[in-house]
Amino acid sequence: MNETILRSAYCLDGYKAPGETFCPFYSSILNSAGGVLVSGATGSGKSVVLNGILLSILGQYKPFCKGTKDECSLFLCDPKRVEFRRYMTVPHLVRYASDEEAIFNTIDMVIGIMHKRYEQMENDGIVEWDGSRVFLVIDEIGHLMLTRKKDILPRLTDPLLLCRAAGI
């Protein structure tokens, strides 16, 4: 675990080994995992890790334009309204949601993108998306799980199981 934290700190400081992406640690996680859960006690560095992941995304991908695999769209859900505000002006950002209904609408929007991609993949006879990436980042999901469990669980089950192959 200490190596992970150390590597994360290097990435946040702009460490870049020759020939590697902006942040190889986060990039490898995001490319191989369908989802990442960052948890811990208050003051344990969750925000540092989330910001490191977001900086890695912004450093590795161009804003969505033509749908190529070096581009991405970013969807941020920030119920506290403070964690992701600094990303409001990045060109990658498609949607920033802070109230609960807007967060649920954002999740539904990403699920719609996922289903459209699966339809296209089926029509094209391919098994893995080779175009642009979509990143959905939800801060304080634990709060939503406590207050709106019946609404959030069904919305997250499909994306968590199916999203990686669809480039989400």
Side-chain angles (χ1 to χ4, degrees):
M1 186 61 154
N2 289 338
E3 183 180 306
T4 299
I5 293 169
L6 182 61
R7 185 86 182 221
S8 300
Y10 280 132
C11 289
L12 290 174
D13 287 338
Y15 167 78
K16 181 179 173 186
E20 290 187 331
T21 59
F22 179 75
C23 180
F25 174 73
Y26 291 128
S27 297
S28 65
I29 288 174
L30 296 172
N31 288 329
S32 62
V36 176
L37 176 65
V38 178
S39 64
T42 300
S44 63
K46 297 179 301 292
S47 293
V48 173
V49 172
L50 279 176
N51 283 300
I53 290 171
L54 287 168
L55 290 173
S56 179
I57 290 168
L58 297 175
Q60 182 176 356
Y61 296 95
K62 298 174 189 170
F64 179 79
C65 182
K66 298 178 184 176
T68 60
K69 66 181 177 179
D70 63 341
E71 298 175 346
C72 80
S73 300
L74 190 57
F75 294 79
L76 300 177
C77 300
D78 186 10
K80 290 190 299 186
R81 297 174 169 90
V82 295
E83 195 62 49
F84 300 140
R85 294 212 53 89
R86 64 183 59 97
Y87 299 102
M88 294 285 287
T89 60
V90 299
H92 304 71
L93 185 63
V94 174
R95 184 154 184 178
Y96 172 89
S98 57
D99 67 81
E100 286 184 0
E101 289 310 313
I103 290 170
F104 292 129
N105 290 337
T106 301
I107 295 169
D108 291 342
M109 196 182 232
V110 172
I111 291 169
I113 293 168
M114 181 186 71
H115 287 301
K116 285 180 186 174
R117 287 184 173 188
Y118 269 107
E119 287 174 18
Q120 186 175 345
M121 289 163 51
E122 180 183 25
N123 292 337
D124 294 347
I126 58 174
V127 294
E128 193 157 333
W129 185 256
D130 195 30
S132 65
R133 299 284 180 215
V134 171
F135 294 97
L136 170 64
V137 183
I138 306 171
D139 189 35
E140 296 295 336
I141 196 164
H143 176 73
L144 292 172
M145 296 291 277
L146 288 173
T147 60
R148 303 276 301 266
K149 185 176 182 177
K150 290 180 183 177
D151 295 322
I152 195 77
L153 280 179
R155 282 185 168 91
L156 292 179
T157 304
D158 266 2
L160 289 174
L161 295 173
L162 303 171
C163 62
R164 193 203 54 80
I168 297 174

